[in-house]
PDB file of all heavy atoms in Angstrom:
ATOM      1  N   GLN A  45     114.254 127.720  73.523  1.00 55.00           N
ATOM      2  CA  GLN A  45     113.458 128.884  73.835  1.00 55.00           C
ATOM      3  C   GLN A  45     114.243 130.166  73.488  1.00 55.00           C
ATOM      4  O   GLN A  45     114.450 131.053  74.306  1.00 55.00           O
ATOM      5  CB  GLN A  45     113.017 128.876  75.308  1.00 55.00           C
ATOM      6  CG  GLN A  45     112.070 127.726  75.616  1.00 55.00           C
ATOM      7  CD  GLN A  45     111.487 127.829  76.989  1.00 55.00           C
ATOM      8  OE1 GLN A  45     111.607 128.832  77.670  1.00 55.00           O
ATOM      9  NE2 GLN A  45     110.774 126.794  77.409  1.00 55.00           N
ATOM     10  N   ASN A  46     114.727 130.215  72.241  1.00 49.00           N
ATOM     11  CA  ASN A  46     115.384 131.405  71.685  1.00 49.00           C
ATOM     12  C   ASN A  46     116.615 131.826  72.500  1.00 49.00           C
ATOM     13  O   ASN A  46     116.844 133.039  72.719  1.00 49.00           O
ATOM     14  CB  ASN A  46     114.377 132.590  71.602  1.00 49.00           C
ATOM     15  CG  ASN A  46     113.179 132.211  70.746  1.00 49.00           C
ATOM     16  OD1 ASN A  46     113.363 131.660  69.651  1.00 49.00           O
ATOM     17  ND2 ASN A  46     111.996 132.545  71.193  1.00 49.00           N
ATOM     18  N   GLY A  47     117.393 130.842  72.916  1.00 61.00           N
ATOM     19  CA  GLY A  47     118.628 131.162  73.606  1.00 61.00           C
ATOM     20  C   GLY A  47     118.423 131.771  74.983  1.00 61.00           C
ATOM     21  O   GLY A  47     119.235 132.544  75.470  1.00 61.00           O
ATOM     22  N   ARG A  48     117.327 131.421  75.645  1.00 75.00           N
ATOM     23  CA  ARG A  48     116.995 131.962  76.974  1.00 75.00           C
ATOM     24  C   ARG A  48     118.161 131.677  77.933  1.00 75.00           C
ATOM     25  O   ARG A  48     118.562 130.544  78.119  1.00 75.00           O
ATOM     26  CB  ARG A  48     115.721 131.287  77.451  1.00 75.00           C
ATOM     27  CG  ARG A  48     115.277 131.694  78.848  1.00 75.00           C
ATOM     28  CD  ARG A  48     113.993 130.920  79.152  1.00 75.00           C
ATOM     29  NE  ARG A  48     113.579 131.113  80.541  1.00 75.00           N
ATOM     30  CZ  ARG A  48     112.575 130.432  81.089  1.00 75.00           C
ATOM     31  NH1 ARG A  48     111.910 129.544  80.364  1.00 75.00           N
ATOM     32  NH2 ARG A  48     112.236 130.618  82.374  1.00 75.00           N
ATOM     33  N   LYS A  49     118.694 132.733  78.529  1.00 87.00           N
ATOM     34  CA  LYS A  49     119.810 132.568  79.438  1.00 87.00           C
ATOM     35  C   LYS A  49     119.357 131.982  80.774  1.00 87.00           C
ATOM     36  O   LYS A  49     118.267 132.262  81.259  1.00 87.00           O
ATOM     37  CB  LYS A  49     120.491 133.938  79.690  1.00 87.00           C
ATOM     38  CG  LYS A  49     121.042 134.542  78.400  1.00 87.00           C
ATOM     39  CD  LYS A  49     122.150 133.721  77.777  1.00 87.00           C
ATOM     40  CE  LYS A  49     122.751 134.372  76.552  1.00 87.00           C
ATOM     41  NZ  LYS A  49     123.753 133.538  75.904  1.00 87.00           N
ATOM     42  N   LEU A  50     120.229 131.149  81.349  1.00 92.00           N
ATOM     43  CA  LEU A  50     119.924 130.477  82.598  1.00 92.00           C
ATOM     44  C   LEU A  50     120.959 130.864  83.643  1.00 92.00           C
ATOM     45  O   LEU A  50     121.683 130.024  84.172  1.00 92.00           O
ATOM     46  CB  LEU A  50     119.898 128.956  82.408  1.00 92.00           C
ATOM     47  CG  LEU A  50     118.927 128.420  81.339  1.00 92.00           C
ATOM     48  CD1 LEU A  50     119.089 126.909  81.211  1.00 92.00           C
ATOM     49  CD2 LEU A  50     117.487 128.764  81.689  1.00 92.00           C
ATOM     50  N   GLN A  51     121.045 132.143  83.939  1.00 95.00           N
ATOM     51  CA  GLN A  51     122.033 132.606  84.905  1.00 95.00           C
ATOM     52  C   GLN A  51     121.747 132.059  86.309  1.00 95.00           C
ATOM     53  O   GLN A  51     122.618 132.092  87.188  1.00 95.00           O
ATOM     54  CB  GLN A  51     122.055 134.135  84.964  1.00 95.00           C
ATOM     55  CG  GLN A  51     122.478 134.785  83.629  1.00 95.00           C
ATOM     56  CD  GLN A  51     123.941 134.509  83.292  1.00 95.00           C
ATOM     57  OE1 GLN A  51     124.677 133.890  84.051  1.00 95.00           O
ATOM     58  NE2 GLN A  51     124.372 135.001  82.132  1.00 95.00           N
ATOM     59  N   HIS A  52     120.537 131.579  86.527  1.00 96.00           N
ATOM     60  CA  HIS A  52     120.162 130.953  87.805  1.00 96.00           C
ATOM     61  C   HIS A  52     120.468 129.475  87.828  1.00 96.00           C
ATOM     62  O   HIS A  52     120.137 128.791  88.792  1.00 96.00           O
ATOM     63  CB  HIS A  52     118.660 131.169  88.053  1.00 96.00           C
ATOM     64  CG  HIS A  52     117.839 130.880  86.809  1.00 96.00           C
ATOM     65  ND1 HIS A  52     117.704 129.627  86.268  1.00 96.00           N
ATOM     66  CD2 HIS A  52     117.168 131.736  86.000  1.00 96.00           C
ATOM     67  CE1 HIS A  52     116.942 129.709  85.178  1.00 96.00           C
ATOM     68  NE2 HIS A  52     116.605 130.957  84.986  1.00 96.00           N
ATOM     69  N   GLY A  53     121.128 128.941  86.782  1.00 97.00           N
ATOM     70  CA  GLY A  53     121.366 127.515  86.654  1.00 97.00           C
ATOM     71  C   GLY A  53     122.777 127.093  86.974  1.00 97.00           C
ATOM     72  O   GLY A  53     123.658 127.929  87.240  1.00 97.00           O
ATOM     73  N   VAL A  54     122.984 125.783  86.960  1.00 98.00           N
ATOM     74  CA  VAL A  54     124.310 125.190  87.153  1.00 98.00           C
ATOM     75  C   VAL A  54     124.526 124.120  86.120  1.00 98.00           C
ATOM     76  O   VAL A  54     123.571 123.602  85.508  1.00 98.00           O
ATOM     77  CB  VAL A  54     124.482 124.591  88.562  1.00 98.00           C
ATOM     78  CG1 VAL A  54     124.267 125.620  89.635  1.00 98.00           C
ATOM     79  CG2 VAL A  54     123.563 123.394  88.776  1.00 98.00           C
ATOM     80  N   ILE A  55     125.792 123.764  85.902  1.00 97.00           N
ATOM     81  CA  ILE A  55     126.153 122.580  85.107  1.00 97.00           C
ATOM     82  C   ILE A  55     126.607 121.507  86.070  1.00 97.00           C
ATOM     83  O   ILE A  55     127.399 121.744  86.994  1.00 97.00           O
ATOM     84  CB  ILE A  55     127.237 122.915  84.097  1.00 97.00           C
ATOM     85  CG1 ILE A  55     126.726 123.936  83.081  1.00 97.00           C
ATOM     86  CG2 ILE A  55     127.718 121.655  83.368  1.00 97.00           C
ATOM     87  CD1 ILE A  55     127.806 124.437  82.106  1.00 97.00           C
ATOM     88  N   LEU A  56     126.082 120.303  85.871  1.00 98.00           N
ATOM     89  CA  LEU A  56     126.425 119.162  86.695  1.00 98.00           C
ATOM     90  C   LEU A  56     127.295 118.177  85.947  1.00 98.00           C
ATOM     91  O   LEU A  56     127.065 117.954  84.731  1.00 98.00           O
ATOM     92  CB  LEU A  56     125.177 118.412  87.154  1.00 98.00           C
ATOM     93  CG  LEU A  56     124.145 119.095  88.062  1.00 98.00           C
ATOM     94  CD1 LEU A  56     123.086 118.085  88.425  1.00 98.00           C
ATOM     95  CD2 LEU A  56     124.808 119.669  89.285  1.00 98.00           C
ATOM     96  N   LYS A  57     128.249 117.604  86.625  1.00 97.00           N
ATOM     97  CA  LYS A  57     128.852 116.364  86.194  1.00 97.00           C
ATOM     98  C   LYS A  57     127.946 115.253  86.698  1.00 97.00           C
ATOM     99  O   LYS A  57     127.753 115.076  87.923  1.00 97.00           O
ATOM    100  CB  LYS A  57     130.268 116.201  86.742  1.00 97.00           C
ATOM    101  CG  LYS A  57     130.921 114.905  86.350  1.00 97.00           C
ATOM    102  CD  LYS A  57     132.333 114.813  86.868  1.00 97.00           C
ATOM    103  CE  LYS A  57     133.005 113.529  86.416  1.00 97.00           C
ATOM    104  NZ  LYS A  57     134.405 113.457  86.843  1.00 97.00           N
ATOM    105  N   VAL A  58     127.307 114.499  85.804  1.00 98.00           N
ATOM    106  CA  VAL A  58     126.328 113.512  86.192  1.00 98.00           C
ATOM    107  C   VAL A  58     127.029 112.282  86.734  1.00 98.00           C
ATOM    108  O   VAL A  58     127.847 111.652  86.059  1.00 98.00           O
ATOM    109  CB  VAL A  58     125.441 113.155  84.981  1.00 98.00           C
ATOM    110  CG1 VAL A  58     124.418 112.082  85.391  1.00 98.00           C
ATOM    111  CG2 VAL A  58     124.698 114.386  84.459  1.00 98.00           C
ATOM    112  N   LEU A  59     126.706 111.931  87.970  1.00 97.00           N
ATOM    113  CA  LEU A  59     127.301 110.777  88.618  1.00 97.00           C
ATOM    114  C   LEU A  59     126.408 109.540  88.478  1.00 97.00           C
ATOM    115  O   LEU A  59     126.919 108.397  88.500  1.00 97.00           O
ATOM    116  CB  LEU A  59     127.533 111.042  90.114  1.00 97.00           C
ATOM    117  CG  LEU A  59     128.410 112.270  90.416  1.00 97.00           C
ATOM    118  CD1 LEU A  59     128.557 112.422  91.929  1.00 97.00           C
ATOM    119  CD2 LEU A  59     129.768 112.186  89.749  1.00 97.00           C
ATOM    120  N   ALA A  60     125.119 109.717  88.366  1.00 98.00           N
ATOM    121  CA  ALA A  60     124.183 108.599  88.179  1.00 98.00           C
ATOM    122  C   ALA A  60     122.954 109.152  87.482  1.00 98.00           C
ATOM    123  O   ALA A  60     122.475 110.249  87.818  1.00 98.00           O
ATOM    124  CB  ALA A  60     123.797 107.988  89.519  1.00 98.00           C
TER     125      ALA A  60
END
Side-chain angles (χ1 to χ4, degrees):
Q45 294 189 10
N46 301 315
R48 177 180 173 188
K49 299 297 183 183
L50 303 176
Q51 298 292 357
H52 44 68
V54 301
I55 297 174
L56 296 184
K57 179 177 183 178
V58 179
L59 304 181

